[in-house]
Coordinates of all heavy atoms in Angstrom, one line a residue:
V1 N 1.6 19.1 1.9 CA 1.8 18.5 0.6 C 3.2 18.3 0.2 O 3.7 17.3 -0.2 CB 1.0 19.3 -0.5 CG1 1.3 18.7 -1.9 CG2 -0.5 19.3 -0.2
A2 N 4.0 19.4 0.4 CA 5.4 19.4 0.1 C 6.1 18.4 1.0 O 7.1 17.7 0.6 CB 6.1 20.7 0.2
E3 N 5.7 18.3 2.2 CA 6.3 17.4 3.2 C 6.1 15.9 2.7 O 7.0 15.1 2.8 CB 5.6 17.6 4.6 CG 6.2 16.6 5.6 CD 5.5 16.7 6.9 OE1 5.1 17.9 7.3 OE2 5.2 15.7 7.6
F4 N 4.9 15.6 2.2 CA 4.7 14.2 1.8 C 5.5 13.9 0.5 O 6.1 12.8 0.4 CB 3.2 14.0 1.5 CG 2.9 12.5 1.3 CD1 2.8 11.7 2.4 CD2 2.8 12.0 0.0 CE1 2.5 10.3 2.2 CE2 2.5 10.6 -0.2 CZ 2.4 9.8 0.9
A5 N 5.7 14.9 -0.4 CA 6.5 14.7 -1.5 C 8.0 14.4 -1.1 O 8.7 13.6 -1.7 CB 6.4 15.9 -2.5
D6 N 8.4 15.1 -0.1 CA 9.8 14.9 0.5 C 9.9 13.5 1.0 O 10.9 12.8 0.9 CB 10.1 15.9 1.6 CG 10.3 17.3 1.0 OD1 10.5 17.5 -0.2 OD2 10.2 18.3 1.9
R7 N 8.8 13.0 1.7 CA 8.8 11.7 2.3 C 8.9 10.6 1.2 O 9.5 9.6 1.3 CB 7.6 11.5 3.2 CG 7.8 12.3 4.5 CD 6.6 12.3 5.3 NE 6.2 11.0 5.7 CZ 5.0 10.6 6.1 NH1 4.0 11.4 6.1 NH2 4.8 9.3 6.4
L8 N 8.2 10.9 0.1 CA 8.2 10.0 -1.1 C 9.6 9.9 -1.7 O 10.1 8.8 -2.1 CB 7.2 10.4 -2.1 CG 5.7 10.0 -1.9 CD1 4.8 10.5 -3.0 CD2 5.6 8.5 -1.7
R9 N 10.2 11.1 -1.8 CA 11.6 11.1 -2.4 C 12.5 10.3 -1.5 O 13.4 9.6 -1.9 CB 12.1 12.5 -2.6 CG 11.5 13.1 -3.9 CD 12.2 14.4 -4.2 NE 12.0 15.5 -3.3 CZ 10.9 16.3 -3.2 NH1 9.9 16.1 -4.1 NH2 10.8 17.2 -2.3
A10 N 12.4 10.5 -0.2 CA 13.2 9.7 0.8 C 12.9 8.2 0.6 O 13.9 7.4 0.7 CB 13.0 10.2 2.2
A11 N 11.7 7.8 0.4 CA 11.3 6.4 0.2 C 12.0 5.8 -1.0 O 12.2 4.6 -1.1 CB 9.8 6.3 0.1
E12 N 12.3 6.6 -2.0 CA 12.9 6.1 -3.2 C 14.4 5.7 -2.9 O 14.9 4.9 -3.6 CB 13.0 7.2 -4.3 CG 11.6 7.5 -4.9 CD 11.6 8.7 -5.7 OE1 12.6 9.4 -5.9 OE2 10.5 9.0 -6.3
R13 N 14.9 6.3 -1.9 CA 16.3 6.0 -1.5 C 16.5 5.1 -0.3 O 17.6 4.6 -0.1 CB 17.0 7.4 -1.2 CG 17.1 8.4 -2.3 CD 17.8 9.6 -1.9 NE 17.3 10.3 -0.8 CZ 16.4 11.2 -0.8 NH1 15.8 11.5 -1.9 NH2 16.0 11.8 0.3
S14 N 15.5 4.8 0.4 CA 15.6 4.1 1.7 C 14.4 3.1 1.9 O 13.3 3.6 1.9 CB 15.8 5.0 2.8 OG 15.5 4.4 4.1
R15 N 14.7 1.9 2.1 CA 13.6 0.9 2.4 C 13.0 1.3 3.7 O 11.8 1.1 3.9 CB 14.2 -0.5 2.5 CG 14.5 -1.1 1.1 CD 14.6 -2.6 1.2 NE 14.7 -3.3 0.0 CZ 13.6 -3.5 -0.9 NH1 12.4 -3.1 -0.6 NH2 13.8 -4.2 -2.0
E16 N 13.7 1.8 4.7 CA 13.2 2.2 5.9 C 12.2 3.3 5.8 O 11.1 3.3 6.3 CB 14.3 2.6 6.9 CG 13.7 2.9 8.3 CD 14.9 3.2 9.3 OE1 16.0 2.7 9.1 OE2 14.6 4.0 10.2
A17 N 12.6 4.3 5.0 CA 11.7 5.4 4.7 C 10.4 5.0 4.0 O 9.3 5.4 4.2 CB 12.4 6.5 3.9
L18 N 10.6 4.0 3.0 CA 9.5 3.5 2.3 C 8.5 2.8 3.3 O 7.3 2.9 3.2 CB 9.9 2.5 1.2 CG 8.8 1.8 0.4 CD1 7.8 2.8 -0.2 CD2 9.4 0.9 -0.6
G19 N 9.1 2.0 4.2 CA 8.3 1.3 5.2 C 7.4 2.3 6.0 O 6.2 2.0 6.3
V20 N 8.0 3.4 6.4 CA 7.3 4.5 7.2 C 6.1 5.0 6.3 O 5.0 5.2 6.8 CB 8.2 5.6 7.6 CG1 7.5 6.7 8.2 CG2 9.2 5.0 8.6
V21 N 6.4 5.3 5.1 CA 5.4 5.9 4.2 C 4.2 4.9 4.0 O 3.1 5.2 4.1 CB 6.0 6.3 2.8 CG1 4.9 6.6 1.8 CG2 6.9 7.5 3.0
L22 N 4.6 3.6 3.8 CA 3.6 2.6 3.6 C 2.8 2.4 4.8 O 1.5 2.2 4.8 CB 4.2 1.3 3.1 CG 4.8 1.3 1.7 CD1 5.4 0.0 1.4 CD2 3.8 1.7 0.6
D23 N 3.4 2.4 6.0 CA 2.7 2.2 7.2 C 1.7 3.3 7.5 O 0.7 3.0 8.1 CB 3.7 2.1 8.4 CG 3.1 1.4 9.6 OD1 2.5 0.3 9.4 OD2 3.2 2.0 10.7
D24 N 2.0 4.5 7.0 CA 1.0 5.6 7.1 C -0.3 5.3 6.3 O -1.3 5.9 6.6 CB 1.6 6.9 6.7 CG 2.6 7.5 7.7 OD1 2.6 7.0 8.8 OD2 3.4 8.4 7.3
C25 N -0.2 4.4 5.4 CA -1.3 4.0 4.5 C -2.1 2.8 5.0 O -3.1 2.4 4.5 CB -0.9 3.8 3.1 SG 0.0 5.2 2.4
R26 N -1.5 2.1 6.1 CA -2.1 0.9 6.5 C -3.6 0.9 6.9 O -4.4 0.1 6.5 CB -1.3 0.4 7.7 CG -1.7 -1.0 8.2 CD -0.8 -1.5 9.4 NE 0.6 -1.5 9.1 CZ 1.2 -2.6 8.5 NH1 0.5 -3.6 8.1 NH2 2.5 -2.5 8.2
A27 N -4.0 1.9 7.7 CA -5.4 2.0 8.1 C -6.3 2.1 6.9 O -7.4 1.4 6.9 CB -5.5 3.2 9.1
Y28 N -6.0 2.9 6.0 CA -6.8 3.1 4.8 C -7.0 1.7 4.0 O -8.1 1.3 3.7 CB -6.2 4.1 3.8 CG -6.8 4.2 2.5 CD1 -8.1 4.8 2.3 CD2 -6.2 3.7 1.4 CE1 -8.7 4.8 1.0 CE2 -6.7 3.7 0.1 CZ -8.0 4.3 -0.1 OH -8.6 4.4 -1.3
L29 N -5.9 1.0 3.8 CA -5.9 -0.3 3.1 C -6.6 -1.3 3.9 O -7.4 -2.1 3.4 CB -4.5 -0.7 2.8 CG -3.7 0.1 1.8 CD1 -2.3 -0.4 1.6 CD2 -4.4 0.1 0.4
L30 N -6.5 -1.3 5.2 CA -7.2 -2.2 6.1 C -8.7 -2.0 6.0 O -9.5 -3.0 6.0 CB -6.7 -2.1 7.5 CG -7.0 -3.3 8.4 CD1 -6.6 -4.6 7.8 CD2 -6.3 -3.1 9.7
V31 N -9.1 -0.8 5.9 CA -10.6 -0.5 5.8 C -11.1 -1.1 4.5 O -12.1 -1.8 4.4 CB -10.9 1.0 5.8 CG1 -12.3 1.3 5.4 CG2 -10.7 1.5 7.3
L32 N -10.3 -0.9 3.4 CA -10.7 -1.4 2.1 C -10.7 -2.9 2.1 O -11.7 -3.6 1.6 CB -9.7 -1.0 1.0 CG -9.7 0.5 0.7 CD1 -8.6 0.8 -0.4 CD2 -11.0 1.0 0.2
A33 N -9.7 -3.5 2.7 CA -9.7 -5.0 2.7 C -10.8 -5.6 3.6 O -11.4 -6.6 3.2 CB -8.3 -5.5 3.2
N34 N -11.1 -4.9 4.7 CA -12.2 -5.4 5.5 C -13.5 -5.4 4.8 O -14.4 -6.3 5.0 CB -12.3 -4.6 6.8 CG -11.3 -5.1 7.9 OD1 -11.2 -6.3 8.1 ND2 -10.6 -4.2 8.5
H35 N -13.7 -4.4 4.0 CA -15.0 -4.3 3.2 C -15.0 -5.3 2.1 O -16.1 -5.7 1.7 CB -15.2 -2.8 2.7 CG -15.6 -1.9 3.7 ND1 -16.8 -1.9 4.3 CD2 -14.9 -0.8 4.3 CE1 -16.9 -0.9 5.2 NE2 -15.8 -0.3 5.2
A36 N -13.9 -5.6 1.5 CA -13.8 -6.5 0.4 C -13.9 -8.0 0.7 O -14.4 -8.7 -0.1 CB -12.5 -6.2 -0.4
V37 N -13.4 -8.3 1.9 CA -13.4 -9.8 2.2 C -14.7 -10.1 3.0 O -14.9 -9.5 4.1 CB -12.1 -10.1 3.1 CG1 -12.2 -11.6 3.5 CG2 -10.9 -9.8 2.3
A38 N -15.5 -11.0 2.4 CA -16.7 -11.4 3.1 C -16.4 -12.1 4.4 O -15.4 -12.8 4.5 CB -17.5 -12.4 2.2
P39 N -17.2 -11.9 5.4 CA -16.9 -12.4 6.8 C -16.7 -13.9 6.7 O -15.9 -14.4 7.5 CB -18.2 -12.1 7.6 CG -18.7 -10.8 6.9 CD -18.4 -11.0 5.5
D40 N -17.4 -14.7 5.9 CA -17.3 -16.1 5.9 C -15.9 -16.6 5.2 O -15.5 -17.7 5.4 CB -18.4 -16.8 5.2 CG -18.6 -16.3 3.7 OD1 -18.4 -15.1 3.5 OD2 -19.0 -17.1 2.9
L41 N -15.2 -15.6 4.6 CA -13.9 -16.0 3.9 C -12.8 -15.6 4.8 O -11.6 -15.9 4.5 CB -13.8 -15.3 2.6 CG -14.7 -15.7 1.5 CD1 -14.5 -14.9 0.2 CD2 -14.5 -17.2 1.2
R42 N -13.0 -14.9 5.9 CA -11.9 -14.3 6.7 C -11.1 -15.4 7.4 O -10.0 -15.1 7.8 CB -12.4 -13.3 7.7 CG -12.9 -12.1 7.0 CD -13.2 -11.0 7.9 NE -13.8 -9.9 7.0 CZ -14.2 -8.8 7.5 NH1 -14.3 -8.6 8.8 NH2 -14.7 -7.9 6.6
A43 N -11.6 -16.6 7.6 CA -10.9 -17.7 8.1 C -9.7 -18.1 7.2 O -8.7 -18.5 7.6 CB -11.8 -18.9 8.4
K44 N -10.0 -17.9 5.9 CA -9.0 -18.3 4.9 C -8.1 -17.1 4.4 O -7.0 -17.3 4.1 CB -9.7 -18.9 3.6 CG -10.3 -20.2 3.9 CD -10.9 -20.7 2.6 CE -11.5 -22.1 2.8 NZ -12.0 -22.7 1.6
V45 N -8.8 -15.9 4.4 CA -8.1 -14.7 3.9 C -8.3 -13.6 4.9 O -9.3 -13.0 5.0 CB -8.7 -14.3 2.5 CG1 -7.9 -13.1 2.0 CG2 -8.6 -15.4 1.5
A46 N -7.3 -13.3 5.7 CA -7.3 -12.2 6.7 C -7.1 -10.9 6.0 O -6.1 -10.8 5.2 CB -6.3 -12.5 7.8
P47 N -7.9 -9.9 6.2 CA -7.6 -8.6 5.6 C -6.2 -8.1 5.9 O -5.6 -7.5 5.0 CB -8.7 -7.7 6.2 CG -9.9 -8.7 6.5 CD -9.2 -9.9 6.9
S48 N -5.8 -8.3 7.1 CA -4.4 -7.8 7.5 C -3.3 -8.5 6.7 O -2.3 -7.9 6.3 CB -4.2 -8.0 9.0 OG -4.2 -9.3 9.3
D49 N -3.6 -9.8 6.3 CA -2.6 -10.5 5.5 C -2.6 -9.9 4.1 O -1.5 -9.8 3.4 CB -2.9 -12.0 5.4 CG -2.6 -12.7 6.7 OD1 -1.9 -12.1 7.6 OD2 -3.2 -13.8 6.9
L50 N -3.8 -9.5 3.6 CA -3.8 -8.9 2.2 C -3.1 -7.6 2.2 O -2.4 -7.2 1.2 CB -5.3 -8.7 1.8 CG -6.1 -9.9 1.4 CD1 -7.5 -9.6 1.3 CD2 -5.5 -10.5 0.1
V51 N -3.2 -6.8 3.3 CA -2.5 -5.5 3.4 C -1.0 -5.8 3.4 O -0.3 -5.1 2.7 CB -3.0 -4.7 4.6 CG1 -2.1 -3.5 4.8 CG2 -4.4 -4.3 4.4
Q52 N -0.6 -6.8 4.2 CA 0.8 -7.1 4.2 C 1.4 -7.5 2.8 O 2.4 -7.1 2.4 CB 1.1 -8.2 5.3 CG 2.6 -8.4 5.6 CD 3.2 -7.1 6.2 OE1 2.5 -6.3 6.9 NE2 4.4 -6.9 5.9
E53 N 0.6 -8.3 2.1 CA 1.0 -8.7 0.8 C 1.1 -7.6 -0.2 O 1.9 -7.5 -1.0 CB 0.0 -9.8 0.2 CG 0.1 -11.1 0.9 CD -1.0 -12.1 0.5 OE1 -1.6 -11.8 -0.6 OE2 -1.3 -13.0 1.2
T54 N 0.1 -6.6 0.0 CA 0.1 -5.4 -0.8 C 1.4 -4.6 -0.5 O 2.1 -4.1 -1.5 CB -1.1 -4.5 -0.4 OG1 -2.3 -5.3 -0.7 CG2 -1.1 -3.2 -1.2
F55 N 1.9 -4.5 0.7 CA 3.1 -3.8 1.0 C 4.3 -4.5 0.5 O 5.2 -3.9 0.0 CB 3.2 -3.7 2.6 CG 2.3 -2.6 3.2 CD1 2.1 -2.6 4.5 CD2 1.7 -1.7 2.4 CE1 1.3 -1.7 5.1 CE2 0.8 -0.7 2.9 CZ 0.6 -0.7 4.3
L56 N 4.3 -5.8 0.5 CA 5.4 -6.6 -0.1 C 5.5 -6.3 -1.6 O 6.6 -6.1 -2.1 CB 5.3 -8.1 0.2 CG 5.5 -8.5 1.6 CD1 5.1 -10.0 1.8 CD2 6.9 -8.3 2.1
E57 N 4.4 -6.3 -2.2 CA 4.4 -6.0 -3.7 C 4.8 -4.6 -3.9 O 5.5 -4.3 -4.9 CB 2.9 -6.3 -4.2 CG 2.8 -6.4 -5.7 CD 3.4 -7.7 -6.2 OE1 3.6 -8.6 -5.5 OE2 3.6 -7.7 -7.5
A58 N 4.4 -3.7 -3.1 CA 4.7 -2.3 -3.3 C 6.2 -2.1 -3.1 O 6.9 -1.3 -3.8 CB 4.0 -1.4 -2.3
H59 N 6.8 -2.8 -2.2 CA 8.3 -2.7 -2.0 C 9.0 -3.2 -3.2 O 10.0 -2.6 -3.7 CB 8.7 -3.6 -0.8 CG 8.8 -2.9 0.5 ND1 9.9 -2.1 0.9 CD2 7.9 -2.8 1.5 CE1 9.7 -1.6 2.1 NE2 8.5 -2.0 2.5
R60 N 8.5 -4.3 -3.8 CA 9.1 -4.8 -5.0 C 9.1 -3.9 -6.2 O 10.0 -3.9 -7.0 CB 8.5 -6.2 -5.4 CG 9.0 -7.3 -4.5 CD 8.6 -8.7 -5.1 NE 7.2 -9.0 -4.9 CZ 6.7 -9.6 -3.9 NH1 7.5 -10.0 -2.9 NH2 5.4 -9.8 -3.8
H61 N 8.0 -3.2 -6.3 CA 7.7 -2.4 -7.5 C 7.7 -0.9 -7.3 O 7.3 -0.1 -8.2 CB 6.4 -2.8 -8.1 CG 6.4 -4.2 -8.5 ND1 7.1 -4.7 -9.6 CD2 5.8 -5.3 -7.9 CE1 6.9 -6.0 -9.7 NE2 6.1 -6.4 -8.7
F62 N 8.2 -0.4 -6.1 CA 8.2 1.0 -5.9 C 9.0 1.8 -6.9 O 8.6 3.0 -7.1 CB 8.7 1.3 -4.4 CG 8.4 2.7 -4.0 CD1 7.1 3.1 -3.7 CD2 9.4 3.6 -3.8 CE1 6.7 4.4 -3.3 CE2 9.1 4.9 -3.4 CZ 7.8 5.3 -3.2
G63 N 10.0 1.2 -7.5 CA 10.8 2.0 -8.5 C 9.9 2.4 -9.7 O 10.3 3.3 -10.4
G64 N 8.8 1.7 -9.9 CA 7.9 2.0 -11.0 C 6.8 3.1 -10.6 O 6.1 3.5 -11.5
F65 N 6.7 3.4 -9.4 CA 5.7 4.4 -8.9 C 6.2 5.8 -9.3 O 7.3 6.2 -9.0 CB 5.5 4.3 -7.4 CG 4.6 5.3 -6.9 CD1 3.2 5.3 -7.2 CD2 5.0 6.3 -6.0 CE1 2.4 6.3 -6.7 CE2 4.2 7.3 -5.5 CZ 2.8 7.2 -5.9
R66 N 5.3 6.5 -10.0 CA 5.7 7.8 -10.5 C 4.9 9.0 -9.9 O 5.1 10.1 -10.2 CB 5.5 7.9 -12.0 CG 6.4 6.9 -12.8 CD 7.9 7.4 -12.7 NE 8.7 6.4 -13.3 CZ 9.7 5.7 -12.7 NH1 9.9 5.8 -11.4 NH2 10.4 4.8 -13.3
G67 N 4.1 8.6 -8.9 CA 3.3 9.7 -8.3 C 4.1 10.5 -7.3 O 5.2 10.2 -6.9
R68 N 3.5 11.6 -6.9 CA 4.1 12.6 -6.0 C 3.2 13.0 -4.9 O 3.6 13.8 -4.1 CB 4.6 13.8 -6.8 CG 5.7 13.6 -7.7 CD 7.0 13.5 -6.9 NE 8.1 12.8 -7.6 CZ 8.9 11.9 -7.1 NH1 8.7 11.5 -5.9 NH2 9.8 11.4 -7.9
S69 N 2.0 12.5 -4.8 CA 1.1 12.9 -3.8 C 0.6 11.7 -3.0 O 0.7 10.5 -3.5 CB -0.1 13.6 -4.4 OG -0.9 12.7 -5.1
R70 N 0.0 12.0 -1.9 CA -0.5 10.9 -1.0 C -1.7 10.2 -1.8 O -1.8 9.0 -1.8 CB -1.0 11.5 0.3 CG -1.6 10.5 1.2 CD -1.9 11.1 2.6 NE -2.7 10.3 3.5 CZ -2.3 9.2 4.1 NH1 -1.1 8.7 3.9 NH2 -3.2 8.5 4.8
A71 N -2.5 11.0 -2.5 CA -3.7 10.5 -3.2 C -3.2 9.5 -4.3 O -3.8 8.5 -4.5 CB -4.5 11.6 -3.8
E72 N -2.1 9.9 -5.0 CA -1.6 9.0 -6.0 C -1.0 7.7 -5.4 O -1.2 6.6 -6.0 CB -0.5 9.7 -6.8 CG -1.1 10.8 -7.7 CD 0.0 11.7 -8.3 OE1 1.0 12.0 -7.6 OE2 -0.1 12.1 -9.5
L73 N -0.3 7.8 -4.3 CA 0.2 6.6 -3.6 C -1.0 5.7 -3.2 O -0.9 4.5 -3.4 CB 1.1 7.0 -2.4 CG 1.6 5.8 -1.7 CD1 2.6 5.0 -2.5 CD2 2.4 6.3 -0.4
L74 N -2.0 6.3 -2.6 CA -3.1 5.5 -2.1 C -3.8 4.8 -3.3 O -4.2 3.7 -3.1 CB -4.1 6.4 -1.3 CG -3.6 6.9 0.0 CD1 -4.6 7.9 0.6 CD2 -3.3 5.7 1.0
G75 N -3.9 5.5 -4.4 CA -4.6 4.9 -5.6 C -3.7 3.7 -6.1 O -4.3 2.7 -6.4
W76 N -2.4 3.9 -6.1 CA -1.5 2.9 -6.6 C -1.6 1.7 -5.6 O -1.7 0.5 -6.1 CB -0.1 3.4 -6.6 CG 1.0 2.5 -7.1 CD1 1.1 2.1 -8.4 CD2 2.1 2.0 -6.4 NE1 2.2 1.3 -8.5 CE2 2.8 1.2 -7.3 CE3 2.5 2.1 -5.1 CZ2 4.0 0.5 -6.9 CZ3 3.6 1.4 -4.7 CH2 4.4 0.6 -5.6
L77 N -1.6 1.9 -4.3 CA -1.7 0.8 -3.4 C -3.1 0.1 -3.4 O -3.2 -1.1 -3.3 CB -1.4 1.3 -1.9 CG 0.0 1.8 -1.6 CD1 0.0 2.5 -0.3 CD2 0.9 0.6 -1.7
R78 N -4.1 0.9 -3.7 CA -5.4 0.3 -3.8 C -5.5 -0.6 -5.0 O -6.1 -1.7 -4.9 CB -6.5 1.5 -4.0 CG -7.9 0.9 -4.0 CD -8.9 2.1 -4.1 NE -8.8 2.7 -5.4 CZ -8.4 4.0 -5.6 NH1 -8.2 4.8 -4.5 NH2 -8.2 4.5 -6.8
R79 N -4.9 -0.2 -6.1 CA -4.8 -1.1 -7.3 C -4.1 -2.4 -7.0 O -4.5 -3.5 -7.4 CB -4.2 -0.4 -8.5 CG -5.2 0.6 -9.1 CD -4.8 1.2 -10.4 NE -3.5 1.9 -10.3 CZ -3.4 3.1 -9.9 NH1 -4.4 3.8 -9.6 NH2 -2.2 3.7 -9.9
I80 N -3.0 -2.3 -6.3 CA -2.2 -3.5 -5.9 C -3.1 -4.4 -5.0 O -3.2 -5.6 -5.2 CB -0.9 -3.2 -5.2 CG1 0.0 -2.4 -6.1 CG2 -0.3 -4.4 -4.6 CD1 1.3 -1.9 -5.4
L81 N -3.8 -3.8 -4.0 CA -4.7 -4.5 -3.1 C -5.8 -5.2 -4.0 O -6.1 -6.4 -3.7 CB -5.3 -3.6 -2.1 CG -6.3 -4.3 -1.1 CD1 -5.7 -5.4 -0.3 CD2 -7.0 -3.2 -0.3
E82 N -6.3 -4.5 -4.9 CA -7.4 -5.1 -5.7 C -6.9 -6.3 -6.5 O -7.6 -7.3 -6.7 CB -8.0 -4.1 -6.7 CG -8.8 -3.0 -6.0 CD -9.1 -1.8 -6.8 OE1 -8.6 -1.7 -8.0 OE2 -9.9 -0.9 -6.4
C83 N -5.6 -6.2 -7.0 CA -5.0 -7.4 -7.7 C -4.9 -8.6 -6.7 O -5.1 -9.7 -7.1 CB -3.7 -7.0 -8.3 SG -3.8 -6.0 -9.7
R84 N -4.4 -8.3 -5.5 CA -4.3 -9.3 -4.5 C -5.7 -10.0 -4.2 O -5.8 -11.2 -4.0 CB -3.7 -8.8 -3.2 CG -2.4 -8.1 -3.2 CD -1.2 -8.8 -3.7 NE -1.1 -10.2 -3.4 CZ -0.7 -11.1 -4.3 NH1 -0.2 -10.8 -5.5 NH2 -0.6 -12.4 -4.0
L85 N -6.7 -9.1 -4.1 CA -8.0 -9.6 -3.8 C -8.5 -10.5 -5.0 O -9.2 -11.5 -4.7 CB -9.0 -8.5 -3.6 CG -8.9 -7.7 -2.3 CD1 -9.6 -6.4 -2.4 CD2 -9.5 -8.6 -1.2
S86 N -8.2 -10.2 -6.2 CA -8.7 -11.0 -7.3 C -8.0 -12.3 -7.4 O -8.5 -13.3 -8.0 CB -8.5 -10.2 -8.6 OG -7.2 -10.1 -9.0
N87 N -6.8 -12.4 -6.8 CA -6.1 -13.7 -6.8 C -6.6 -14.5 -5.6 O -6.4 -15.7 -5.5 CB -4.6 -13.4 -6.7 CG -4.0 -12.8 -8.0 OD1 -4.6 -13.0 -9.0 ND2 -2.9 -12.1 -7.8

């Protein structure tokens, strides 16, 4: 737990560290995106593209993230993904 909090603090200072932290969440978000996108829509909307868009948005707004745990980060990313899905 303390190790993840340290990684989050490093992510606040470094885009590279943020990329590593986000990449650790990729599999979780991909599972969510795969369940959310109907198979007949995947030709237009690839789940992996949604995850990538989520990461771009997370990079832009990471300064506003106030969580300190993996669960909080996953929840924040899930909300971003849900917004991407609704668009």
Side-chain angles (χ1 to χ4, degrees):
V1 175
E3 178 184 322
F4 192 79
D6 291 342
R7 291 173 59 203
L8 281 177
R9 281 194 294 280
E12 292 169 356
R13 298 183 303 274
S14 162
R15 285 200 172 280
E16 184 178 330
L18 176 56
V20 171
V21 168
L22 293 178
D23 198 51
D24 286 345
C25 302
R26 184 179 302 275
Y28 169 75
L29 292 175
L30 198 50
V31 167
L32 294 178
N34 275 315
H35 285 291
V37 177
D40 58 326
L41 294 177
R42 290 187 186 176
K44 292 183 179 185
V45 181
S48 60
D49 290 344
L50 287 169
V51 171
Q52 191 63 30
E53 290 174 18
T54 299
F55 287 163
L56 290 172
E57 196 73 15
H59 267 278
R60 281 193 285 271
H61 299 288
F62 192 70
F65 175 67
R66 298 291 176 243
R68 290 284 163 224
S69 70
R70 180 171 168 73
E72 290 169 320
L73 178 63
L74 291 174
W76 185 68
L77 292 170
R78 185 181 64 244
R79 285 190 298 279
I80 295 171
L81 176 64
E82 289 167 354
C83 287
R84 305 297 329 141
L85 285 164
S86 69
N87 291 334

